């Protein structure tokens, strides 16, 4: 692996991780300390935490278009400034509309960071693309973990506004790091798709492999980032022994919310180690699909087991296995998308579409989660997830093995 390329990916990953500190902190402290931010009720918390994702849906195409002529370093620097200001808004602001504007600005910053990160990995990697994406995702996970821990551990000690202020200062330190991310003479992130014929681009975008990759991203985001994440605390609460309100271990008592928090912390904690390893494995001579099918099968088996009447300890162990499989699936899905974008020659267009698809799936998941739980309980989510994942494997077996590059080159050669 080229050390300079590796350094480039790590720099943008650490910049993204630093920018995520404030956002991750808010998911911990806002639902509990909403009054400290001048809010009138929990309904405003829901709007604030959803706003950044909602604005990304229309903004992603705009960000993709900007990256077709804007140097990536400029986009990353703008993102750092926005992330710093939006976190600082929660340190000083008390007006709901100001905080709502700040969350919308963070949505724009995240779009620029995420798409810029994907494009960077695509530019500096080829045979080691999976490992690069795994390393990138792993470092980002550290930022989310630190932000969540900062909010959970220090909210009572120093106050939530002081935490927001400290994290905004730390985010500002990401500016010089972003400045070194590339040279000032960096070329613009132009999409090769813009140089190809319209017929060739359509052939790539609508090729079964490319479409399956987009559908896979949507399904994984819907099931794991949306459906499972949103309902995790509720599912744990349902599975707790009915005669108890909490679970005791080594003399300590944990309720559903605290158990869910520990599980999420574990999840972010293993990501920096598991994601690069999975990415490296997928770069092997056998390709990504065999490993992709394996982890999807593990997730299916885990989901089926979660629907059974297991003891709480066994149920939690299976849940951990499912979340481990999810971490691997996320890395492999990103790598498959990067492969499709690189082979098709329309990197900006495809990765922008992929990012938007992920946001749509993650946004729709919570809407379905509680309807399913209310009507069908835990099996409503776990059996549905197992069925959809099984259909996904079948789809890849039937339509996903046809080489993408060869098909596109027959339609129209790319410059």
């Amino acid at each position: 692996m080229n050390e300079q390329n590796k350094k480039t990916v790590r720099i943008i990953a650490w910049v993204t991780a630093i920018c995520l500190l404030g956002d991750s902190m808010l998911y911990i402290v806002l639902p509990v300390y909403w009054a400290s931010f001048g809010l009138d009720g929990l309904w405003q918390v829901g709007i604030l935490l959803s706003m950044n994702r909602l604005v990304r849906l229309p903004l992603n195409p705009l960000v993709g278009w900007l990256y077709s002529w804007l140097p990536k370093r400029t986009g990353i620097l703008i993102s750092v400034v926005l992330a710093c200001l939006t976190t600082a808004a929660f340190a000083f602001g008390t007006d709901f509309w100001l905080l709502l504007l700040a969350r919308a600005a963070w949505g724009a910053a995240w779009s620029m960071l995420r798409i810029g990160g994907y494009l960077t990995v695509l530019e500096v990697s080829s045979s080691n693309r999976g490992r690069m994406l795994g390393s990138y995702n792993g470092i980002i996970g550290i930022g989310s973990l630190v932000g969540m821990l900062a909010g959970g551990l220090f909210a009572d000690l120093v106050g939530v506004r002081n935490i927001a202020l400290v994290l905004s200062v730390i985010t500002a330190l990401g500016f010089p790091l972003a400045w070194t991310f590339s040279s000032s003479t960096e070329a613009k992130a132009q999409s090769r798709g813009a140089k190809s014929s319209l017929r060739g681009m359509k052939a790539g975008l609508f090729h079964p492999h490319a479409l399956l990759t987009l559908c896979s991203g949507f399904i994984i985001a819907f099931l794991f980032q949306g459906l499972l994440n949103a309902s995790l605390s509720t599912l744990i609460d349902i599975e707790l022994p009915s005669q108890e309100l909490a679970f005791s271990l080594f003399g300590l008592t944990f309720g559903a919310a605290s158990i869910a928090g520990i599980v999420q912390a574990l999840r972010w904690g293993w990501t920096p180690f598991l994601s690069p390893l999975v990415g490296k494995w997928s770069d092997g001579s056998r390709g990504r699909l065999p490993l992709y099918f394996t982890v999807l099968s593990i997730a299916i088996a885990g989901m089926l087991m979660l629907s059974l009447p297991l003891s709480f300890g066994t149920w939690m162990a299976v849940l951990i296995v499912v979340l481990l499989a999810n971490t691997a699936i996320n890395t492999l899905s990103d790598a498959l998308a990067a492969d499709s974008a690189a082979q098709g020659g329309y990197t900006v267009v495809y990765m922008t579409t992929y990012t938007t698809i992920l946001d749509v799936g993650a946004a729709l998941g919570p809407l379905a989660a509680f309807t399913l739980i209310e009507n069908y309980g835990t099996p409503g989510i776990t059996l549905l997830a197992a069925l959809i994942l099984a259909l996904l494997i079948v789809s890849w077996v039937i339509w996903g093995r046809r080489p993408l590059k060869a098909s596109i080159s027959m339609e129209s050669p790319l410059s």
Side-chain angles (χ1 to χ4, degrees), residues 150-173:
L153 296 177
F154 298 109
D156 289 326
L157 296 177
V158 301
V160 290
R161 288 187 177 274
N162 288 329
I163 292 177
L165 179 60
V166 170
L167 293 183
S168 68
V169 172
I170 295 175
T171 303
L173 298 178

Side-chain angles (χ1 to χ4, degrees), residues 5 16 52 61 70 118 163 195 199-200 210 214 216 233-234 262 282 296 358 384:
N5 291 345
T16 305
N52 64 304
L70 187 73
Y118 281 144
I163 292 177
K195 301 177 183 179
R199 184 184 177 190
L214 294 177
S216 298
S233 298
T234 305
I262 293 171
S282 74
L296 283 175
L358 294 185
L384 175 65

Side-chain angles (χ1 to χ4, degrees), residues 14-15 224 380:
W14 279 115
V15 170
F224 291 101

Side-chain angles (χ1 to χ4, degrees), residues 22-353:
D23 176 67
S24 300
M25 176 271 298
L26 289 176
Y27 279 92
I28 298 297
V29 304
L30 260 185
V32 180
Y33 299 96
W34 51 269
S36 300
F37 293 101
L39 302 180
D40 298 326
L42 280 172
W43 65 273
Q44 292 180 327
V45 173
I47 294 175
L48 289 176
L49 293 180
S50 300
M51 187 58 169
N52 64 304
R53 193 179 297 278
L54 292 174
V55 300
R56 291 206 302 267
L57 298 180
L59 280 181
N60 280 339
L62 176 60
V63 170
W65 172 77
L66 287 174
Y67 272 126
S68 68
W69 60 269
L70 187 73
K72 284 200 306 302
R73 187 178 71 169
T74 302
I76 301 301
L77 291 173
I78 292 173
S79 302
V80 174
V81 172
L82 288 176
C84 178
L85 293 177
T86 56
T87 305
F90 283 85
F92 301 105
T94 57
D95 181 73
F96 170 72
W97 296 105
L98 172 63
L99 300 182
L100 189 66
L101 178 62
R103 291 296 292 167
W106 162 246
W110 174 246
S111 288
M112 300 191 77
L113 285 167
R114 192 62 166 166
I115 295 176
Y118 281 144
L119 294 177
T120 300
V121 172
L122 276 167
E123 286 184 0
V124 303
S125 63
S126 55
S127 61
N128 56 5
R129 190 174 295 129
R131 185 176 181 182
M132 288 277 202
L133 278 166
S135 178
Y136 173 77
N137 287 336
I139 292 173
I140 290 176
I142 295 175
S144 293
L145 176 61
V146 172
M148 292 170 61
L149 291 177
L153 296 177
F154 298 109
D156 289 326
L157 296 177
V158 301
V160 290
R161 288 187 177 274
N162 288 329
I163 292 177
L165 179 60
V166 170
L167 293 183
S168 68
V169 172
I170 295 175
T171 303
L173 298 178
F175 193 88
L177 185 62
W179 187 265
T180 64
F181 146 71
S182 62
S183 67
S184 59
T185 58
E186 177 198 20
K188 299 170 184 177
Q190 293 179 346
S191 169
R192 288 177 59 202
K195 301 177 183 179
S196 64
S197 70
L198 180 61
R199 184 184 177 190
M201 182 180 290
K202 287 182 177 180
L205 286 173
F206 293 100
H207 185 277
H209 188 284
L211 286 176
L212 265 178
T213 303
L214 294 177
C215 291
S216 298
F218 173 83
I219 288 171
I220 299 307
F222 173 79
L223 292 179
F224 291 101
Q225 296 179 32
L227 201 69
L228 186 59
N229 270 0
S231 60
L232 189 60
S233 298
T234 305
L235 290 175
I236 292 174
D237 186 54
I238 292 173
E239 296 302 321
L240 278 171
S242 57
Q243 70 274 18
E244 302 176 14
L245 295 177
F247 177 68
S248 296
L249 182 65
F250 302 124
L252 301 175
T253 301
F254 302 92
S258 58
I259 295 173
I262 293 171
V263 169
Q264 293 285 29
L266 285 172
R267 188 181 190 179
W268 288 116
W270 70 54
T271 298
F273 306 99
L274 182 59
S275 288
L277 187 60
V278 171
K280 181 181 178 180
W281 288 341
S282 74
D283 287 332
S285 58
R286 298 183 62 191
R288 309 194 200 283
L289 287 183
L291 183 57
Y292 193 50
F293 292 162
T294 299
V295 292
L296 283 175
S297 298
I298 292 173
I300 291 170
M303 288 294 187
L304 291 175
M305 290 185 67
L306 289 177
S307 64
L308 301 176
L310 306 173
S311 66
F312 183 70
T314 303
W315 192 89
M316 285 299 303
V318 174
L319 177 63
I320 294 297
V321 172
V322 170
L323 294 178
L324 283 166
N326 175 222
T327 300
I329 291 169
N330 287 341
T331 296
L332 293 170
S333 295
D334 286 352
L336 287 169
D339 290 342
S340 292
Q343 293 172 12
Y346 39 85
T347 55
V348 174
V349 174
Y350 191 86
M351 295 312 296
T352 299
T353 304

Side-chain angles (χ1 to χ4, degrees), residues 203 206-210 212 289 340 343 395-411:
F206 293 100
H207 185 277
H209 188 284
L212 265 178
L289 287 183
S340 292
Q343 293 172 12
S395 298
W396 273 100
V397 170
I398 296 175
W399 293 297
R401 294 179 177 273
R402 182 181 170 195
L404 177 62
K405 182 180 289 187
S407 174
I408 296 174
S409 62
M410 291 175 62
E411 294 287 346

